């Protein structure tokens, strides 16, 4: 079998970086054990009350649920402007949507940070602030962490396992709880600016937070605000590695090559900017820039929708224009106040407001035989050169493949604004009981615009021009104020014609959430290992959504991103009980042994009642060893969009297996009010080892296995899959296909349904080491995740796809995957003189480009096409090399203002300027979810604490 040079190089790079990462994770902590001892300068992690329990008296060490804690000092040390960016660098999380992700073609939620734990989907990750739900930011119910004021977040707790029994629906993959500093004293301010080495991606950020007590300490108030602006990055011709124009294409032309090819010099094969004639006596002739003559088009290799080489260097419409990182601007405000009337009555109020405005450059219309047909001009069209009109005659036609880039790119804009207000009371009921009750209102106003968006029906009306005897050129059909449009050449149309064929796709969304909640926790009776602790509570929640789209979008009239009106709401009533029972303590075989369990009953107005539960235990035979295990039943209820989206008619090109022909058919999509909640079974088993714990040295290592199985996954099937399933004998799918008397498809219905299964399993690792060195300290933290499987089970056919190990960005595959192995580490040295140096390393392991394909280094690879190309899954290079990114931060703190300090710092991200591995998708040359596309960046700033 042939193996490409790039594959071999990728394997060498992968081996080197993999070894380097494990050397960093394993050798560094061991070498530190020989350093000079001193006093530890930080509290132990187990002293922090964490998110894994509603029982406030229980510490993190007593909980069976694995919990990762990210302290705000880590965020500050690396100059990370938003807590969402810091979280998305952890190996258990993926970027479902972030500024660095390849979403430049989409106007949706530009500049957002939406977390996706375990790769199970952002809608299965629950986001909390101070243990309370945060208002949804999207129609699917997910939360944009960019809207949460990072300046006041003291730490983030990530429970990496099911937590529905404690916190309710959506906590299938886990919970992220952002804990704010409601006891802040004094003032702290920060300002920083940065830029990429290439001169783009300029950023500025500033924040101010302050807090103080009043009334003799009985009351406390905290206020904060922050601002961030990112100017964005250039398009894919702005970097050397992407300027190679790499893409994946299907090979239908060269039988000596595999069916799928990753190639450089990728250009469009049957359309050009000036227009390419498809077929007839003028085939493979394109129009000149002025549209009045013809010039030759040079075909490239493997010609299809794309080709390698040939005409079009530097003009690929998928790379020219759309930016790699969209520009965005955000600000957030925060206020908190409480007052202790008595120990039993402490009212509080918390108000926050955040806004994110994002702008990007999107795609423009493209017409060819591969996109539903080219632009058809009749032989009497006055825009055609005379030589063509004479050759085809007035009754003839020609088809032109054209990229409409001369109209300018579509321009995306989205604005998300979220207001959240909480008012409640807390207090103590005796010495061992605490309670909390609150009302919360959240509202998100979302605006989405895609201007200069092509309207295909109007374009086809406008290009059908005729010339009157007076010499005037007009539309044959002059309705709607039609203006004749000359599509030939580059920019040979009037401004009025451009305005007629384009418009602005608009969507306005209002999301509301109201919550009334009451919780109580305390100690009941003494047990051998300590008091039996109990928490209980009840909650009522109402979520509503209303979206309003423009009339053209509602008629599916724009080239892309047509939205629909949605209106719906549901109510949830639920109650829970949690118990923590320390059964043993200080006996020969158990320094401690405790059981933890919870049960929650939830009643949805749309889908009925469901019960979730959790049971777990922690056994600590000695100070050195702790064992933990949990088993839980979790749910995700269908969101409003899945329930209430209206049926929308569109068209889709499919291969009809009955006739073996490609046809354009009507497609009906939308929500389904008969959906059931997804249910999940989660198991975690972990061990925590603490071989070293002295006043000067602490070393802790944990390993946690997880296994999550989700049933009744809510999804749509896809028109092509419906036809294939029907052909394979699925009666339910055949019922979704309507045919006429001649057997032709007249409609495919693809609404949301509880269709599939989803499962994942893997192992999380965490290592923490700290050593005092005189009056300074050296610390190391390493986090790693190995994902063994991420499987989607298609119940209708019994087939499955495992996306674990897929790190490519294939637009033909089964969906986004996750690396088998990821790791992040932090090495920090702090001197007595106020100098701090932090080195962060982030490693993404070697992966496959597309798990549905095979490469030269995999079994089943075929050098050449064998049978129909669509039945051959070989790829000339199905590997994606690993990457190790290093970020360096240096700061100097100077005592000032009496009790305060002044700090200056500098950060270099991607210190060694590592290019991402080539793994092309629809509009990118790499996987922007995983890999850095920006390159080396520089950041400098100042902080003031008073």
């Amino acid at each position: 079998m042939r193996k490409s040079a790039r594959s071999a190089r990728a394997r060498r790079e992968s081996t080197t970086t993999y070894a380097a990462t494990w050397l960093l994770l394993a050798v560094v902590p061991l070498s530190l054990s020989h350093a000079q001892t001193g006093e530890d300068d930080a509290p132990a992690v187990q002293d922090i009350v964490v998110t894994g329990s509603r029982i406030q008296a229980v510490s993190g060490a007593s909980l069976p649920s694995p919990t990762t804690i990210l302290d705000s000092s880590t965020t500050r040390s690396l100059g990370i402007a938003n807590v969402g960016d810091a979280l998305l660098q952890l190996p258990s999380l993926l970027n479902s949507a972030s500024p660095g992700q390849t979403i430049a073609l989409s106007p949706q939620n530009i500049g957002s940070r939406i977390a996706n734990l375990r790769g199970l989907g952002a809608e299965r990750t629950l986001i909390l602030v101070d243990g309370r739900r945060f208002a949804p930011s999207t129609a699917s119910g997910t939360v944009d962490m960019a809207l949460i004021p990072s300046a006041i977040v003291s730490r983030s707790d990530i429970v990496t396992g099911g937590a529905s029994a404690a916190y309710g629906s959506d906590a299938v993959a886990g919970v992220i709880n952002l804990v704010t500093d409601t006891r802040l004293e004094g003032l702290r301010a920060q300002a920083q600016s940065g830029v990429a080495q290439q001169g783009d991606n300029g950023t500025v950020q500033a924040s101010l937070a302050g807090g103080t007590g009043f009334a003799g300490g009985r009351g406390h108030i905290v206020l904060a605000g922050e601002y961030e602006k990112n100017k964005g990055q250039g398009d894919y011709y702005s970097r050397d590695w992407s300027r190679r124009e790499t893409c994946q294409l299907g090979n239908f032309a060269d039988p000596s090559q595999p069916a799928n090819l990753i190639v450089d010099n990728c250009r469009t094969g049957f359309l050009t900017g000036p227009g390419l004639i498809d077929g007839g006596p003028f085939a493979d002739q394109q129009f000149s820039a002025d549209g009045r003559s013809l010039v030759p088009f040079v075909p490239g290799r493997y010609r299809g929708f794309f080709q390698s080489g040939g005409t079009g260097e530097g003009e690929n419409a998928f790379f020219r224009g759309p930016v790699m990182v969209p520009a965005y601007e955000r600000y957030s405000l925060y206020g908190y106040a409480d007052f202790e009337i008595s120990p039993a009555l402490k009212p509080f109020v918390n108000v926050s407001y955040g806004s994110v405005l994002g702008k990007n450059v999107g795609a423009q219309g493209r017409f060819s035989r591969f996109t539903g047909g080219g632009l058809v001009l009749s032989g009497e069209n006055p825009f055609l050169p005379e030589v063509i009109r004479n050759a085809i005659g007035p009754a003839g036609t020609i088809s032109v493949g054209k990229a409409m880039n001369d109209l300018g790119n579509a321009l995306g804009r989205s604005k998300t604004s979220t207001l959240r207000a909480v008012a409640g009371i807390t207090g103590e009921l005796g010495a061992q009981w605490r309670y909390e009750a609150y009302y919360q209102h959240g509202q998100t106003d979302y605006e989405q615009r895609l201007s200069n968006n092509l309207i295909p029906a109007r374009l086809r009306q406008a290009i059908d021009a005729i010339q009157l005897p007076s010499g005037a050129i007009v539309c044959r059909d002059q309705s709607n104020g039609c203006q004749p449009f000359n599509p030939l050449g580059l920019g040979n149309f009037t401004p009025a014609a451009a305005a007629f064929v384009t418009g602005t796709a608009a969507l306005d969304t209002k999301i509301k959430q109201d919550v009334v909640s009451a919780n109580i926790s305390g100690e009941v009776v003494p047990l051998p290992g300590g008091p039996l602790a109990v928490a209980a509570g009840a909650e009522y929640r109402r979520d509503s959504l209303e979206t309003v789209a423009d009339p053209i979008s509602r008629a599916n009239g724009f080239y892309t991103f047509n939205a629909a009106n949605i209106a719906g709401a549901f109510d949830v009533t639920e109650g829970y009980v949690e118990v923590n029972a320390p059964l043993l303590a200080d006996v020969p075989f158990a320094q401690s042994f405790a059981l933890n369990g919870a049960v929650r009953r939830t009643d949805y107005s749309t889908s009925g009642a469901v019960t979730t539960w959790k049971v777990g235990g922690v056994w600590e035979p000695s100070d050195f060893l702790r064992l933990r295990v949990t088993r839980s039943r979790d749910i995700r209820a269908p969101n409003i969009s899945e329930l209430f989206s209206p049926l929308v008619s569109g068209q889709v090109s499919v291969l009809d297996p009955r006739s073996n022909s490609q046809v354009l058919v009507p497609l009906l999509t939308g929500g389904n009010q008969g959906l059931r909640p997804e249910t999940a079974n989660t198991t975690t088993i972990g061990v925590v080892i603490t071989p070293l714990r002295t006043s000067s040295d602490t070393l802790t290592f944990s390993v946690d296995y997880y296994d999550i199985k989700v049933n009744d996954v809510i999804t749509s099937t896809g028109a092509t899959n419906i036809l294939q399933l029907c052909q394979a004998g699925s009666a339910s799918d055949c019922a979704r296909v309507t045919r006429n008397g001649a057997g032709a498809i007249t409609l495919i219905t693809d609404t949301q349904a509880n269709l599939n299964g989803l499962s994942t399993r893997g192992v999380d690792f965490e290592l923490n080491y700290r050593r005092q060195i005189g009056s300074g300290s050296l610390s190391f933290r390493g986090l790693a995740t190995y994902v063994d499987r991420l499987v989607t089970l298609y119940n209708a056919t019994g087939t499955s796809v495992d996306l674990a190990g897929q790190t490519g960005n294939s637009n033909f595959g089964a969906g986004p995957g996750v690396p088998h192995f990821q790791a992040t580490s932090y090495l920090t040295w702090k001197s007595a003189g106020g100098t701090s140096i932090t080195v962060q390393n982030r490693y993404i392991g070697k992966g496959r480009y597309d798990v549905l394909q095979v490469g030269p280094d995999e079994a089943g690879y075929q050098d050449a096409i064998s049978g129909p190309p669509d039945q051959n899954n070989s790829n000339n290079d199905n590997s994606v090399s690993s990457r190790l990114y290093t970020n360096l931060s240096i700061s100097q703190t100077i005592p000032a203002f009496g009790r305060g300090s002044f700090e200056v710092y500098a950060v270099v991200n991607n210190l060694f300027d590592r290019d991402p591995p080539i793994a092309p998708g629809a509009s990118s040359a790499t996987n922007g979810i995983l890999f850095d596309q920006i390159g080396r960046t520089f950041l400098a700033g100042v902080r003031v604490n008073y």
Side-chain angles (χ1 to χ4, degrees), residues 9 48 94 100 191 211 217 336 432 438 454 468 490 494 521 556 577 586 613 644 653 677 761 770 931:
R9 183 172 65 253
I48 301 174
L94 290 177
Y336 174 87
Q432 279 118 28
Y438 65 88
L454 192 67
L468 299 177
L490 296 174
T494 65
S521 69
N556 202 39
V577 176
D586 300 323
W613 51 266
F644 297 104
S653 179
R761 70 184 179 204
R770 181 181 294 272
F931 301 108

Side-chain angles (χ1 to χ4, degrees), residues 68 90-94 116-119 158 160 764 785 822:
T68 299
L90 299 179
S92 59
L93 283 148
L94 290 177
N116 177 5
L117 268 169
R118 305 291 188 205
I158 305 98
T160 51
D764 292 329
T785 293
Q822 286 191 90

